Amino acid sequence: MTQAPNYSSICILRLSAIGDVCHGVSAVQAIQKAHPNAKITWIIGKVEAMLLADLPGVELVVFDKKQGKAALKSLKQRFKGQKFDVLLNMQVALRAGFVARCIPAKVKIGFDWARSKELHSLFINKRIEPQAQAHVLEGFKGFAKVIGVADYKPSWNMPYTEQDQAVADELLTPEYLTNKLLVISPAASKAQRNWLADRYATLADYASEQGFKVVLTGGPTELEINLANSIIEHSNTPILNLVGKTKLKELLCVLKRGSLVLAPDTGPAHMAVTVGTPVIGLYAHSNPARTGPYLYQDYVVEVYHQNLLKQTGKTAKQVSWGTRVKGDDLMSQITVDDVKAMFDHVAQKESL
């Protein structure tokens, strides 16, 4: 077996989204251990950089997609006169391809043929090994492997400060810090991926009966604020509403304090994984084996597979990996009883 080169400079390209960059951190930190003398630069999206700012030993270069061609021009100028030993292009979107073209590197590694979409192949000159039915994180492990990093157990050292934790703890108050804590992060990026407000409320009431305090988390968008208010209106138990009140690092610290997180297919579910908090994931549109909370895939409640079979007549193994199913009301097929049963299972297994 040929020994991997001794890299002095490595560029990572993964712009978005929050969940995916969380997966990426585990690969980047494994690469750091294997190549301790390499300078690592990560091209990342503006919002995602807010979460990963001050990631140990990594220079973050923010690419603001809203700036369009100006952002590409700025990137070219920044790297003028430089040449990375290798670029790991961990994103197949066409926009990422244009970014990759602006990054000077001797070797540009991308995904295998089966996962290459949106002209990805035009912007790379080497590929990772094919992986059948791999989780997104496993794909990133493939990039680490191709530059000489042996198979590793994913772990995370997320960047947050004592001040971030102090702000989170102040928001939670002693009452929520000294009790078992269920963190509900109810909103995904699209409304159709959200569970129903009255069902979240029923789970909040159920958790309260089991001795848990309940907190809602999320961003400041109208969708998230309205969903949180509706959950509170339907609930019979006190709920601490932190929706729109935390920055990303503070949200990470709230998730860290949680005993358990309940969430649909959304970034905070993956943030919780990075700080070791168990996650019950609710999935209908995408395959949780590909995008579910990596360490807690056994805790997923899903109706994806039954809907995929209904819509295509095929199983997940018979369609393109990553195939989504369509429908505005699929999440309503996830029942309260199913989630209660998973809640009980997780509480027992995790000794909560």
Side-chain angles (χ1 to χ4, degrees), residues 215-279:
V215 59
L216 294 176
T217 62
T221 66
E222 184 178 359
L223 183 152
E224 291 169 281
I225 291 170
N226 290 341
L227 179 57
N229 289 338
S230 184
I231 292 169
I232 291 170
E233 288 172 9
H234 283 91
S235 176
N236 297 315
T237 193
I239 296 177
L240 178 62
N241 186 4
L242 297 185
V243 172
K245 298 179 182 178
T246 55
K247 298 176 182 178
L248 277 171
K249 288 180 182 292
E250 294 162 2
L251 171 57
L252 183 71
C253 292
V254 170
L255 294 166
K256 182 174 181 286
R257 292 299 193 210
S259 307
L260 178 62
V261 170
L262 175 65
D265 186 5
T266 185
H270 305 291
M271 291 169 62
V273 172
T274 69
V275 289
T277 303
V279 180

Side-chain angles (χ1 to χ4, degrees), residues 305-316:
H305 289 91
Q306 68 188 46
N307 282 288
L308 179 69
L309 188 61
K310 182 179 180 181
Q311 292 184 15
T312 68
K314 298 178 180 179
T315 67

Side-chain angles (χ1 to χ4, degrees), residues 176-189:
Y176 284 78
L177 287 170
T178 55
N179 287 275
K180 294 185 293 185
L181 184 62
L182 171 65
V183 180
I184 300 178
S185 189
S189 58

Side-chain angles (χ1 to χ4, degrees), residues 11-28:
C11 186
I12 309 293
L13 171 55
R14 181 73 210 194
L15 302 175
S16 60
I18 290 293
D20 291 327
V21 300
C22 285
H23 299 322
V25 168
S26 69
V28 169

Side-chain angles (χ1 to χ4, degrees), residues 116-182:
S116 293
K117 304 174 183 177
E118 299 191 38
L119 304 179
H120 180 69
S121 299
L122 297 179
F123 305 102
I124 62 173
N125 54 26
K126 189 173 181 179
R127 298 179 183 277
I128 66 171
E129 294 179 0
Q131 297 168 307
Q133 302 177 349
H135 190 281
V136 172
L137 189 148
E138 295 295 332
F140 294 164
K141 287 178 73 173
F143 282 90
K145 182 178 180 180
V146 83
I147 61 169
V149 182
D151 190 39
Y152 60 91
K153 182 179 180 181
S155 61
W156 291 263
N157 176 19
M158 296 296 284
Y160 61 88
T161 65
E162 290 182 1
Q163 178 62 23
D164 295 323
Q165 189 67 67
V167 171
D169 291 352
E170 185 174 351
L171 289 168
L172 285 170
T173 73
E175 181 183 7
Y176 284 78
L177 287 170
T178 55
N179 287 275
K180 294 185 293 185
L181 184 62
L182 171 65

Side-chain angles (χ1 to χ4, degrees), residues 16-218:
S16 60
I18 290 293
D20 291 327
V21 300
C22 285
H23 299 322
V25 168
S26 69
V28 169
Q29 292 182 334
I31 290 168
Q32 284 180 302
K33 292 177 183 177
H35 299 285
N37 297 320
K39 179 184 178 184
I40 297 180
T41 302
W42 187 338
I43 316 299
I44 193 169
K46 186 176 181 179
V47 173
E48 293 74 15
M50 295 177 186
L51 175 63
L52 299 190
D54 300 316
L55 191 66
V58 178
E59 178 189 19
L60 296 184
V61 175
V62 175
F63 179 83
D64 186 357
K65 63 183 180 182
K66 292 182 179 179
Q67 294 181 5
K69 291 182 179 179
L72 293 171
K73 185 178 180 180
S74 175
L75 207 58
K76 282 184 180 180
Q77 188 62 34
R78 182 184 183 106
F79 295 132
K80 188 175 181 180
Q82 287 185 243
K83 194 149 198 172
F84 293 99
D85 290 336
V86 63
L87 166 67
L88 305 183
N89 185 357
M90 297 180 172
Q91 192 154 353
V92 297
L94 183 59
R95 178 185 291 113
F98 290 138
V99 173
R101 193 168 62 177
C102 299
I103 300 170
K106 298 173 185 176
V107 179
K108 296 187 177 183
I109 301 173
F111 284 97
D112 54 280
W113 282 105
R115 285 176 285 187
S116 293
K117 304 174 183 177
E118 299 191 38
L119 304 179
H120 180 69
S121 299
L122 297 179
F123 305 102
I124 62 173
N125 54 26
K126 189 173 181 179
R127 298 179 183 277
I128 66 171
E129 294 179 0
Q131 297 168 307
Q133 302 177 349
H135 190 281
V136 172
L137 189 148
E138 295 295 332
F140 294 164
K141 287 178 73 173
F143 282 90
K145 182 178 180 180
V146 83
I147 61 169
V149 182
D151 190 39
Y152 60 91
K153 182 179 180 181
S155 61
W156 291 263
N157 176 19
M158 296 296 284
Y160 61 88
T161 65
E162 290 182 1
Q163 178 62 23
D164 295 323
Q165 189 67 67
V167 171
D169 291 352
E170 185 174 351
L171 289 168
L172 285 170
T173 73
E175 181 183 7
Y176 284 78
L177 287 170
T178 55
N179 287 275
K180 294 185 293 185
L181 184 62
L182 171 65
V183 180
I184 300 178
S185 189
S189 58
K190 295 181 180 179
Q192 66 178 9
R193 297 182 195 169
N194 297 337
W195 205 31
L196 284 67
D198 62 314
R199 298 187 189 182
Y200 277 124
T202 301
L203 259 294
D205 293 344
Y206 185 71
S208 179
E209 292 169 5
Q210 315 303 314
F212 283 76
K213 294 292 183 182
V214 182
V215 59
L216 294 176
T217 62

